Amino acid sequence: MRALVIDDSRAMRRIVGSILEDFGYEVRPAGDGREALDVLEEGYLPDLACVDWNMPVMDGLQFVSAVRSNPAYRSVALMMVTTESETSQIVRALAAGAHEYMIKPFTADAMRDKLALLGLLPQEVSL
Amino acid sequence: MTLTATSFDWVRQLVHKESAIVLQPGKEYLVEARLLPMAQQRGLTGVSELVESVRNRPDAATTRRIVEALTTNETSWFRDGDPFTALTGTVLPSLVAGRRPEERLNIWSAACSSGQEPYTIAMLVSDALPDAARRVSITATDLSREMVERTRAGRFSQLEVNRGLPASMLVRHFTRAGNEWEISPTLRRMVTTTECNLAAPLPRMGPFDVVYLRNVLIYFDMATKQGILRRVRQLMRPDGWLFLGAAETTLGVDDNWERVVLGRGSAYRPRKGN
Amino acid sequence: MSDLLSSPAQQPITEMLDAATVQSIADDVWTSLVGDGEVLVPLPVPAPEVTVSAWVQITGRWCGAVVVTCDEATAVALTECLLRARPPAVIEQEDVDDALGELANVLGGNVKSLLPELSSLGLPQTGPIPPASRPEDLCRVDAQWRGQSLTITVQGATPAPHTERNEVPQ
């Protein structure tokens, strides 16, 4: 399983990345939406992208829209991982094409639950 | 730090036995932080006093709360998804087909904790049946008054709604109330709450078409397990469905149940002729 | 930038949230982000002389910032906690700024959700001197973490221009 972790905070990239690695993922970090699109364009196709919302250069919502408008990336599950927590914002992200939405702060258990919802929790992991 | 080495060791062994989770030495602070509220609630001065009281007078309910406090932060929505997949995939369609339209379907969440299970059921049935609010009644019970009150309030913290609740359901069925999320009034009206001790004679309720009795039996001895299963069966319709926790079974405990495989999980039905 | 900041008639923050709400947001952030069993104790201790701050700006019907302030050693300890699963060999200043900034960001986003809709959140900033605040538009939590002072403020923006005298810590 491969995941792209997109956040402008390196601490958050490490936190999300290490949780996913504990669930058996290979993780590629990216500091904003543009950088993440570059990773996709060079041919790295992850099973999952965890995307922050507020980032410089290209924000998470723009990234989600860009990915969903390209049929080549249809297999990538998109999960917003953000501190934006109003109902209207969650609705916007889902409408743009996000499959799931995690509100910061969150625990490793919450990440496991979300992966299970997306059908992306490797079977051998059951803590 | 009031936690003694003996108390810590007892808690470690308990948690390991019940959940297979290992609390490493050095996690004393965690035990202290998680159990102190429970100790204080019982008017005890510290966690060691709590442990001493349970060791001197074994008590399955308190033991269960201790394990829960140390093994989960928050109860998940759709916890162990299979019993919920089975509800919408098999159980509801078969009940709807077998009952007259004016007959109510009664579902019992028998250890409802802070309310995630009964409201998960409410969300699922309201998505599956157009007239769910009129047709389905959910009874949510718990031993703890605090848990019953939390369920009745139907309010959940940010951390709680992060635990396995699909985002699409969050925005459809909850509204923000300060920094918490509140279940919609329609769903809350489907759920009736009351205190109930499963290990004692049960109040007049039911008869139930579906019972969720998950992660309760594991904490009791054989005789109590048998008593609980007998009393639950008396409150069920003959063609009802019982869901237990993933690590629980009626096999070898009570022969009056028939195990039915549903998808990746299983349910239990009262055996005919009893 | 200053045009976006508050008009004098802005509804004070204390009419929209109280210190207990900010504390409960911080409680969730501490247990999940800083570490299981880590608590921000809501008892003030004397503030250190030299502090660092991280903040995010909120722009909308209410304009202001959410600011986290502590001393340098506490900021480093918080960074170590955040990065506990995969600690870098050496924690650099950039790591500390980033981690404290992310704490402010997560607190800020949750505070924003309690304000009138359509507010927006800026990117985190860090520095020795936080934006100036006004006592009449301020919600403040004076707390301690591991015995050291840590302050969270939700503060309305001051009318621009930003002047030198604002930079003297109060």
Side-chain angles (χ1 to χ4, degrees):
Chain A
M1 298 281 230
R2 305 204 287 192
L4 190 52
V5 173
I6 311 154
D7 201 304
D8 57 328
S9 158
R10 54 205 241 173
M12 195 47 77
R13 289 198 298 272
R14 272 173 182 270
I15 291 167
V16 175
S18 69
I19 292 172
L20 290 171
E21 281 170 7
D22 287 346
F23 292 131
Y25 276 80
E26 172 196 313
V27 173
R28 280 271 303 254
D32 61 65
R34 183 63 250 170
E35 207 182 307
L37 277 183
D38 290 345
V39 172
L40 295 177
E41 278 158 21
E42 79 187 40
Y44 185 89
L45 204 62
D47 302 278
L48 170 71
C50 291
V51 200
D52 185 22
W53 188 310
N54 296 304
M55 293 182 288
V57 189
M58 178 191 271
D59 71 25
L61 200 65
Q62 293 169 315
F63 172 80
V64 165
S65 304
V67 170
R68 290 311 293 276
S69 67
N70 187 336
Y73 305 148
R74 197 177 312 154
S75 64
V76 181
L78 297 167
M79 176 158 65
M80 298 296 296
V81 181
T82 170
T83 183
E84 294 286 339
S85 48
E86 294 91 339
T87 304
S88 57
Q89 295 291 74
I90 302 173
V91 169
R92 274 178 80 194
L94 296 177
H99 299 94
E100 259 306 330
Y101 198 104
M102 176 92 90
I103 299 165
K104 292 176 186 171
F106 60 90
T107 58
D109 290 337
M111 180 63 84
R112 187 189 54 211
D113 291 345
K114 290 288 184 190
L115 294 177
L117 283 179
L118 290 166
L120 288 174
L121 189 64
Q123 283 300 316
E124 61 271 25
V125 180
S126 55
L127 293 178
Chain B
M1 179 68 67
T2 63
L3 187 69
T4 64
T6 332
S7 300
F8 179 63
D9 229 46
W10 183 85
V11 172
R12 276 180 63 181
Q13 284 173 22
L14 170 73
V15 170
H16 184 247
K17 182 162 69 81
E18 302 293 354
S19 71
I21 288 171
V22 179
L23 284 170
Q24 302 289 356
K27 290 279 184 181
E28 287 86 351
Y29 74 90
L30 180 68
V31 173
E32 185 83 25
R34 291 282 181 78
L35 298 185
L36 191 58
M38 199 187 303
Q40 286 169 341
Q41 221 176 36
R42 287 164 167 74
L44 301 166
T45 51
V47 174
S48 286
E49 287 76 6
L50 174 71
V51 170
E52 279 314 303
S53 85
V54 186
R55 288 182 68 181
N56 294 335
R57 279 196 313 127
D59 161 11
T62 308
T63 309
R64 173 169 162 241
R65 293 269 175 249
I66 289 176
V67 175
E68 280 180 354
L70 285 162
T71 50
T72 52
N73 290 308
E74 310 84 18
T75 315
S76 292
W77 304 83
F78 296 91
R79 183 178 179 184
D80 310 322
D82 301 333
F84 299 112
T85 315
L87 179 69
T88 45
T90 308
V91 174
L92 267 186
S94 105
L95 287 172
V96 168
R99 300 274 191 274
R100 294 189 308 280
E102 69 276 15
E103 272 186 291
R104 257 183 190 270
L105 300 177
N106 294 310
I107 303 177
W108 181 19
S109 167
C112 67
S113 194
S114 35
Q116 283 86 342
E117 184 178 83
Y119 290 123
T120 297
I121 297 167
M123 285 187 274
L124 286 174
V125 298
S126 78
D127 285 352
L129 302 175
D131 55 349
R134 196 176 49 75
R135 185 108 198 248
V136 179
S137 157
I138 300 164
T139 303
T141 67
D142 200 277
L143 180 66
S144 149
R145 173 174 304 174
E146 184 202 347
M147 290 297 154
V148 169
E149 277 166 8
R150 286 213 49 201
T151 300
R152 191 174 299 149
R155 286 172 75 128
F156 299 90
S157 74
Q158 192 78 78
L159 291 180
E160 285 171 325
V161 299
N162 259 346
R163 293 299 313 275
L165 180 61
S168 56
M169 288 197 158
L170 173 66
V171 295
R172 257 186 311 137
H173 296 302
F174 292 79
T175 49
R176 284 295 289 250
N179 58 336
E180 294 185 311
W181 294 83
E182 193 169 276
I183 191 85
S184 81
T186 317
L187 296 191
R188 193 170 37 191
R189 276 193 296 271
M190 290 171 66
V191 176
T192 308
T193 51
T194 178
E195 279 173 63
C196 169
N197 179 4
L198 296 166
L202 298 174
R204 270 178 185 282
M205 300 187 291
F208 295 108
D209 299 280
V210 186
V211 177
Y212 283 80
L213 176 71
R214 303 194 301 152
N215 307 308
V216 174
L217 293 179
I218 42 172
Y219 296 100
F220 291 98
D221 60 30
M222 180 59 84
T224 314
K225 281 182 205 193
Q226 289 166 336
I228 292 173
L229 285 171
R230 189 184 67 247
R231 287 188 290 274
V232 167
R233 193 162 48 83
Q234 284 161 355
L235 292 184
M236 283 178 69
R237 307 262 306 234
D239 60 347
W241 305 76
L242 170 71
F243 289 103
L244 299 177
E248 297 168 323
T249 178
T250 62
L251 302 176
V253 182
D254 181 350
D255 285 341
N256 297 306
W257 300 88
E258 187 179 347
R259 181 163 170 269
V260 186
V261 174
L262 293 177
R264 293 186 310 166
S266 48
Y268 300 85
R269 311 195 71 182
R271 213 182 270 287
K272 307 247 177 329
N274 289 293
Chain C
M1 169 88 166
S2 57
D3 294 344
L4 284 174
L5 299 181
S6 72
S7 60
Q10 165 164 302
Q11 184 187 16
I13 190 67
T14 43
E15 291 178 10
M16 294 175 273
L17 55 81
D18 57 12
T21 306
V22 176
Q23 173 78 41
S24 83
I25 291 172
D27 287 343
D28 282 357
V29 172
W30 249 253
T31 37
S32 53
L33 203 53
V34 180
D36 205 357
E38 294 291 349
V39 276
L40 188 66
V41 182
L43 295 170
V45 283
E49 292 206 353
V50 182
T51 59
V52 289
S53 295
W55 62 93
V56 287
Q57 258 156 358
I58 295 175
T59 316
R61 289 233 310 272
W62 181 87
C63 289
V66 178
V67 187
V68 182
T69 302
C70 60
D71 68 27
E72 182 68 38
T74 303
V76 172
L78 279 168
T79 306
E80 286 169 346
C81 284
L82 259 66
L83 298 177
R84 64 195 171 279
R86 300 285 188 282
V90 181
I91 290 192
E92 295 163 356
Q93 186 58 44
E94 212 179 320
D95 291 308
V96 179
D97 289 348
D98 175 83
L100 205 60
E102 188 58 20
L103 273 182
N105 176 47
V106 176
L107 290 165
N110 281 277
V111 165
K112 176 174 83 87
S113 71
L114 303 173
L115 303 181
E117 286 268 318
L118 303 176
S119 301
S120 67
L121 201 64
L123 296 174
Q125 295 172 267
T126 47
I129 314 286
S133 63
R134 292 175 296 128
E136 65 275 21
D137 190 4
L138 174 72
C139 178
R140 184 184 174 103
V141 172
D142 286 299
Q144 50 177 293
W145 175 65
R146 297 187 175 176
Q148 301 301 311
S149 166
L150 192 141
T151 303
I152 299 168
T153 62
V154 183
Q155 52 181 62
T158 52
H162 185 74
T163 57
E164 285 302 313
R165 71 188 155 77
N166 284 339
E167 298 190 358
V168 179
Q170 298 299 306

